[in-house]
Coordinates of all heavy atoms in Angstrom, one line a residue:
K112 N -1.2 21.9 2.0 CA -0.6 20.5 1.9 C -0.3 20.1 0.5 O 0.5 19.2 0.3 CB -1.6 19.6 2.5 CG -2.0 19.8 4.0 CD -2.2 18.5 4.8 CE -2.0 18.7 6.3 NZ -3.0 19.7 6.8
F113 N -0.9 20.7 -0.5 CA -0.6 20.4 -1.9 C -0.3 21.7 -2.7 O -1.0 22.7 -2.5 CB -1.7 19.6 -2.5 CG -1.9 18.2 -1.9 CD1 -2.7 18.0 -0.8 CD2 -1.2 17.1 -2.5 CE1 -2.9 16.8 -0.3 CE2 -1.4 15.9 -1.9 CZ -2.2 15.7 -0.8
V114 N 0.6 21.6 -3.7 CA 0.9 22.7 -4.6 C 1.0 22.2 -6.0 O 1.6 21.1 -6.2 CB 2.2 23.4 -4.2 CG1 2.5 24.5 -5.2 CG2 2.1 24.0 -2.8
G115 N 0.3 22.9 -7.0 CA 0.5 22.5 -8.4 C 0.9 23.7 -9.2 O 0.6 24.8 -8.9
H116 N 1.8 23.4 -10.2 CA 2.2 24.5 -11.1 C 2.2 24.1 -12.5 O 2.7 23.0 -12.8 CB 3.7 24.9 -10.7 CG 4.4 25.7 -11.7 ND1 3.9 27.0 -12.1 CD2 5.5 25.6 -12.4 CE1 4.7 27.5 -13.0 NE2 5.7 26.6 -13.2
T117 N 1.5 24.9 -13.4 CA 1.4 24.5 -14.8 C 1.6 25.7 -15.7 O 1.7 26.9 -15.2 CB 0.0 23.8 -15.1 OG1 -1.0 24.8 -15.0 CG2 -0.2 22.6 -14.3
H118 N 1.6 25.5 -17.0 CA 1.7 26.6 -18.0 C 0.5 26.5 -18.9 O 0.6 26.2 -20.1 CB 2.9 26.5 -18.8 CG 4.2 26.4 -18.0 ND1 5.4 25.8 -18.5 CD2 4.5 26.8 -16.8 CE1 6.4 25.9 -17.6 NE2 5.9 26.5 -16.6
P119 N -0.8 26.8 -18.4 CA -2.0 26.6 -19.2 C -2.0 27.6 -20.4 O -1.7 28.7 -20.3 CB -3.1 26.9 -18.2 CG -2.5 27.1 -16.9 CD -1.1 27.4 -17.1
T120 N -2.6 27.0 -21.5 CA -2.6 27.8 -22.8 C -3.3 29.1 -22.6 O -2.8 30.2 -23.0 CB -3.2 27.0 -23.9 OG1 -2.5 25.7 -23.9 CG2 -3.1 27.7 -25.2
T121 N -4.6 29.1 -22.1 CA -5.4 30.3 -22.1 C -4.9 31.3 -21.0 O -4.8 32.5 -21.2 CB -6.9 30.0 -21.9 OG1 -7.2 28.8 -22.6 CG2 -7.7 31.1 -22.4
V122 N -4.6 30.8 -19.8 CA -4.0 31.6 -18.8 C -2.8 32.4 -19.3 O -2.6 33.6 -19.1 CB -3.7 30.8 -17.5 CG1 -2.9 31.6 -16.5 CG2 -4.9 30.3 -16.8
N123 N -1.9 31.6 -20.0 CA -0.7 32.2 -20.5 C -1.0 33.2 -21.7 O -0.2 34.1 -21.9 CB 0.3 31.2 -21.0 CG 1.2 30.8 -19.8 OD1 1.1 31.3 -18.7 ND2 2.1 29.8 -20.0
Q124 N -2.1 33.0 -22.4 CA -2.4 34.0 -23.4 C -2.5 35.4 -22.8 O -2.1 36.4 -23.3 CB -3.7 33.7 -24.1 CG -3.6 32.5 -25.1 CD -5.0 32.2 -25.8 OE1 -6.0 32.7 -25.4 NE2 -4.9 31.4 -26.7
I125 N -3.2 35.4 -21.6 CA -3.4 36.7 -20.9 C -2.1 37.1 -20.1 O -1.7 38.3 -20.1 CB -4.6 36.6 -19.9 CG1 -5.8 36.1 -20.7 CG2 -4.8 37.9 -19.2 CD1 -7.0 35.8 -19.8
L126 N -1.4 36.1 -19.5 CA -0.2 36.5 -18.8 C 1.0 37.0 -19.7 O 1.9 37.6 -19.3 CB 0.3 35.3 -18.0 CG -0.6 34.9 -16.8 CD1 0.0 33.7 -16.1 CD2 -0.8 36.0 -15.8
C127 N 0.8 36.7 -21.0 CA 1.8 37.2 -22.0 C 1.3 38.4 -22.7 O 1.8 38.8 -23.7 CB 2.1 36.1 -23.0 SG 2.9 34.6 -22.3
S128 N 0.2 39.0 -22.2 CA -0.4 40.2 -22.8 C -0.3 41.4 -21.9 O 0.0 41.2 -20.7 CB -1.9 39.9 -23.1 OG -2.7 40.2 -21.9
P129 N -0.7 42.6 -22.3 CA -0.6 43.8 -21.5 C -1.7 43.8 -20.4 O -1.7 44.6 -19.5 CB -0.9 45.0 -22.4 CG -0.8 44.4 -23.8 CD -1.0 43.0 -23.7
R130 N -2.6 42.8 -20.4 CA -3.7 42.8 -19.4 C -3.5 41.7 -18.3 O -4.4 41.4 -17.6 CB -5.0 42.5 -20.1 CG -5.3 43.6 -21.2 CD -6.7 43.5 -21.8 NE -7.7 43.9 -20.7 CZ -9.0 44.0 -21.0 NH1 -9.5 43.7 -22.2 NH2 -9.8 44.4 -20.0
A131 N -2.2 41.2 -18.1 CA -2.0 40.1 -17.2 C -2.4 40.5 -15.8 O -3.1 39.6 -15.1 CB -0.5 39.8 -17.2
Q132 N -2.2 41.7 -15.3 CA -2.5 42.0 -13.9 C -4.0 42.0 -13.6 O -4.4 41.7 -12.5 CB -1.9 43.4 -13.6 CG -1.5 43.5 -12.1 CD -0.5 44.6 -11.9 OE1 0.2 45.1 -12.8 NE2 -0.3 45.0 -10.6
E133 N -4.8 42.4 -14.6 CA -6.2 42.4 -14.4 C -6.7 41.0 -14.1 O -7.7 40.8 -13.3 CB -6.9 42.9 -15.7 CG -6.8 44.4 -15.9 CD -7.4 44.8 -17.3 OE1 -8.6 44.9 -17.3 OE2 -6.7 44.9 -18.3
L134 N -6.2 39.9 -14.8 CA -6.6 38.6 -14.5 C -6.4 38.2 -13.1 O -7.1 37.5 -12.5 CB -5.9 37.6 -15.4 CG -6.3 36.1 -15.3 CD1 -7.7 35.9 -15.8 CD2 -5.3 35.2 -16.1
A135 N -5.3 38.7 -12.5 CA -4.9 38.4 -11.1 C -5.8 39.2 -10.1 O -6.3 38.6 -9.1 CB -3.4 38.7 -10.8
E136 N -6.0 40.5 -10.4 CA -6.6 41.3 -9.4 C -8.1 41.4 -9.5 O -8.8 41.8 -8.5 CB -6.0 42.7 -9.5 CG -4.5 42.7 -9.1 CD -3.8 44.0 -9.3 OE1 -4.4 44.9 -9.9 OE2 -2.6 44.1 -9.0
R137 N -8.7 41.1 -10.6 CA -10.2 41.2 -10.7 C -10.9 39.9 -10.8 O -10.3 38.9 -11.0 CB -10.5 42.0 -12.0 CG -9.8 43.4 -12.1 CD -10.1 44.3 -10.9 NE -11.5 44.6 -10.7 CZ -12.1 45.6 -11.3 NH1 -11.5 46.4 -12.1 NH2 -13.4 45.8 -11.0
R138 N -12.2 39.9 -10.5 CA -13.0 38.7 -10.6 C -14.2 38.9 -11.5 O -14.7 40.0 -11.5 CB -13.4 38.2 -9.2 CG -12.3 37.6 -8.4 CD -11.8 36.4 -8.9 NE -10.7 35.7 -8.2 CZ -9.4 35.7 -8.6 NH1 -9.1 36.4 -9.7 NH2 -8.5 35.1 -7.9
M139 N -14.7 37.9 -12.2 CA -15.7 38.0 -13.2 C -17.0 37.3 -12.8 O -18.1 37.7 -13.2 CB -15.2 37.5 -14.6 CG -14.1 38.4 -15.2 SD -13.3 37.6 -16.6 CE -12.4 36.2 -15.8
F140 N -16.9 36.1 -12.1 CA -18.1 35.3 -11.8 C -18.0 34.6 -10.5 O -16.8 34.4 -10.1 CB -18.4 34.4 -13.0 CG -17.3 33.5 -13.4 CD1 -17.2 32.2 -12.8 CD2 -16.4 33.9 -14.4 CE1 -16.1 31.4 -13.2 CE2 -15.3 33.0 -14.7 CZ -15.2 31.8 -14.2
P141 N -19.1 34.3 -9.9 CA -19.1 33.7 -8.5 C -18.2 32.5 -8.3 O -17.4 32.4 -7.3 CB -20.5 33.4 -8.2 CG -21.3 34.4 -9.0 CD -20.5 34.5 -10.3
D142 N -18.3 31.5 -9.2 CA -17.5 30.3 -9.0 C -16.0 30.5 -9.1 O -15.2 29.7 -8.5 CB -17.9 29.2 -9.9 CG -19.2 28.4 -9.4 OD1 -19.0 27.8 -8.4 OD2 -20.2 28.6 -10.0
E143 N -15.6 31.6 -9.8 CA -14.2 31.9 -9.8 C -13.7 32.3 -8.4 O -12.6 32.0 -8.0 CB -14.0 33.1 -10.8 CG -12.6 33.5 -11.0 CD -12.4 34.7 -11.9 OE1 -13.4 35.5 -12.1 OE2 -11.3 35.0 -12.3
I144 N -14.6 33.0 -7.7 CA -14.3 33.4 -6.3 C -14.3 32.2 -5.4 O -13.4 32.1 -4.5 CB -15.3 34.5 -5.8 CG1 -15.3 35.7 -6.7 CG2 -15.1 34.9 -4.3 CD1 -16.5 36.6 -6.5
V145 N -15.2 31.3 -5.5 CA -15.3 30.1 -4.7 C -14.0 29.3 -4.8 O -13.4 28.8 -3.8 CB -16.5 29.2 -5.1 CG1 -16.5 27.9 -4.3 CG2 -17.8 30.0 -4.8
C146 N -13.5 29.0 -6.1 CA -12.4 28.1 -6.3 C -11.0 28.9 -6.3 O -10.0 28.2 -6.0 CB -12.5 27.4 -7.7 SG -14.0 26.3 -7.7
C147 N -11.0 30.1 -6.7 CA -9.7 30.8 -6.9 C -9.5 32.0 -5.9 O -8.5 32.6 -5.9 CB -9.6 31.4 -8.3 SG -9.8 30.2 -9.6
G148 N -10.5 32.2 -5.0 CA -10.3 33.2 -4.0 C -10.7 34.6 -4.5 O -11.1 34.8 -5.7

Side-chain angles (χ1 to χ4, degrees):
K112 299 217 161 58
F113 292 88
V114 175
H116 166 56
T117 67
H118 304 159
T120 307
T121 323
V122 168
N123 271 358
Q124 283 180 354
I125 303 171
L126 292 180
C127 298
S128 85
R130 303 191 67 179
Q132 207 158 347
E133 287 175 80
L134 183 69
E136 291 173 357
R137 306 302 303 270
R138 290 293 180 254
M139 295 169 287
F140 55 91
D142 277 292
E143 187 188 11
I144 301 167
V145 172
C146 296
C147 301

